[in-house]
Amino acid sequence: MSLLFEQLLNGLTIGVVYVLIAAGLSVIFGVMDVINFSHGELFALGAYFAISLAAPFGGPGFWLALVVAPLLVGIIGAAIERFTIRPLYGRNPLYQILLTFGLVLVIADVIVLIWGRQQQQFSGPPSLAGSIQIFGFSYSIYNLFIIVFGLALAGAIWYGLNNTRVGLVIRAGAQDREMVQNLGIEIDRYYTLVFGVGSAIAAAGGVVLGGYQSVSPAMGHSVIIPAFVIVVLGGLGSFRGAVAGGLLVGVIQTLTRSYVPLLEGLVVFLLMIAVLLVKPSGLFGDPEWQEAGEEHTTLSTGSGGILTKSQRLRVGAAVVGALLVIPLGTNVLYSPYIVSITSDILIWALFALSLDLVLGYAGLVSLGHAMFYGLGAYTTMLTMLHLTPSVPVALVIAIIVAGIIAWVVGYLSIRVSGIYFAMITLAFAQVFYNLVYKFEWTGSSQGLYGATPMYGIAGIGVAVGDLSLSVGPISISSAEVFYYLLVVIAVCSFLLVRRIMAAPFGSVLKSIRESQKRSRFVGYNVTAHKRNAFVLSGGLAGLAGGLYAISNGFVSPDVLHWLRSGELVVMAVLGGIGTLYGPMLGAGVFIFFEDLLSTYIEQWRMVLGTIFILFVIYVPRGIVSIGPYLRDRGIIDITEQRFERSEIDDD
């Protein structure tokens, strides 16, 4: 019994840290309608500031860090709101998700740049060292301090929001921003204050956790997903829900780790899925102060940029022609690495195309698309290891498995929309990510490797690594043969999807994206069309994952990590959502800059994240919209007739 009580206290200790993270996240969403993906990095930043502040002063330095580190992070959070998030008010809230994902890349690399990749630790104050006797067992004084401090801080925030003039203005602004402004109150300043305070609360959690366990750059990534679980369980934007959800998740995680380790990492995500399906508004309902949001603009670009349809066809043909001649310059103009990196771009382009089907045409923001990519990769590798080495068979099975899982996930998920759909796809992806660690047949953390893929079927064919060709003086290596296979698959997939989107099915999807109510009113089955698009998208992502497995010769759990889904969304937005070729272009630009920047600077994500943030703020429609963007600002001179012609061609 004492062991169970001790585990409950351990669960409350972690739960209170979760409360501090989720409370800030929930307040920011409840007041400002912003889902802050960078909240975990601000939490980590608090811990690292504490290391720098506590080290010179020894034990007493902890108290200094507990005050100063949250203040510093709060100032940084306020600056983030003022200069990056404020320009996005009035746009689709999903732009704020995208922007804060860019902040994740920037802040994570800033931490590595300043403090390094090694784990670090700082000690708590001597006055909190040791243990005391509770119900017949000894327990850490520092753990009890975390529980008391966290609950007291959460209580103080709750009191401030409900019993002070500042809290009154904030709650009024959350309900009716325009009304508060008409009263002469500069509500934007209060929003900055809210974001800063939310960031500071997360940083306080980082400080107290830093005295409990080691600090590492990955701690921000590791807490943000549980934090989302908590705010979903409690209710997005509900402060009471964040407190209850944080304590609940902390206790569940601790007890499953101790008594049912097989379910560790799974239970909370399954619980999150169940809550989203049964009661999407969470256990405590909608935000205490916020009214229902208004309809927002679509994310889709839906424009051909500065090129007409015929010009785009010529450019597309030129791109395909360039892809076909790239291997011919190997060992003459450049090294074989160019073929290798272009192969990676083609796989990611195919993956990005799959996301554009649902994001750009069905208006569904999937934050778990790596699930289908990973399923395709694992299915392909398992097929080649245990059933047949045939590449066509393995890829077909990968497409079917990914499509079936997409149908199941879509059947359950499409009943919710917007932020809730994004959250439930993220939860499903995390379930699969944790599952591959559980089983030996998936290779656990080591992944799978050792297959010998073969072009052919039923044992008749040639191993992928042995097939090389000679056409006159031109020799084509096995890697280049596989490259040409990728080119054919990518081009055929693009043409197929383009044909589907030009068919009545695609037209219905576009109408659903513009207005679900109107589409439903004229008789279309909105849910069925969305689900079909999701299945098609999942199958295409599975194909991309299968090609990745064959190209690299191994798969590991990293292919299912949520950051991979985030990077995919970055590529799609960077290129231009809703254009099919835009996300493929974005994938090419992302991989190219990743490869180029990583050659010269270790913190390449920081540079790429900064570029992405600038795109979200200033060119939200992506690269394909740069032409109209420059035209509107008088930087380039393109006649209106040409643009009108482009728009007509798009139609």
Side-chain angles (χ1 to χ4, degrees), residues 130-176:
S131 58
I132 61 173
Q133 291 291 317
I134 302 178
F135 300 112
F137 66 91
S138 60
Y139 197 72
S140 167
I141 296 175
Y142 187 77
N143 287 14
L144 294 174
F145 162 75
I146 291 177
I147 295 173
V148 173
F149 171 79
L151 293 179
L153 183 57
I157 298 298
W158 173 253
Y159 179 85
L161 285 171
N162 288 278
N163 298 283
T164 64
R165 184 181 181 281
V166 172
L168 177 66
V169 174
I170 290 172
R171 287 184 284 124
Q175 291 184 347
D176 194 332

Side-chain angles (χ1 to χ4, degrees), residues 392-442:
V393 173
L395 290 178
V396 168
I397 293 176
I399 294 171
I400 292 173
V401 169
I404 291 173
I405 298 299
W407 188 92
V408 175
V409 173
Y411 179 81
L412 295 171
S413 306
I414 289 175
R415 61 188 68 189
V416 296
S417 60
I419 297 295
Y420 299 107
F421 180 82
M423 289 293 115
I424 199 169
T425 52
L426 180 63
F428 272 112
Q430 287 302 110
V431 168
F432 281 98
Y433 174 72
N434 283 282
L435 277 176
V436 297
Y437 279 98
K438 305 291 182 185
F439 307 112
E440 289 187 6
W441 56 271
T442 57

Side-chain angles (χ1 to χ4, degrees), residues 430-484:
Q430 287 302 110
V431 168
F432 281 98
Y433 174 72
N434 283 282
L435 277 176
V436 297
Y437 279 98
K438 305 291 182 185
F439 307 112
E440 289 187 6
W441 56 271
T442 57
S444 189
S445 61
Q446 301 300 314
L448 297 172
Y449 55 89
T452 308
M454 183 185 74
Y455 297 116
I457 194 169
I460 303 174
V462 182
V464 170
D466 295 337
L467 181 60
S468 58
L469 301 173
S470 293
V471 182
I474 301 174
S475 297
I476 302 175
S477 68
S478 59
E480 291 165 351
V481 171
F482 186 73
Y483 167 85
Y484 280 119

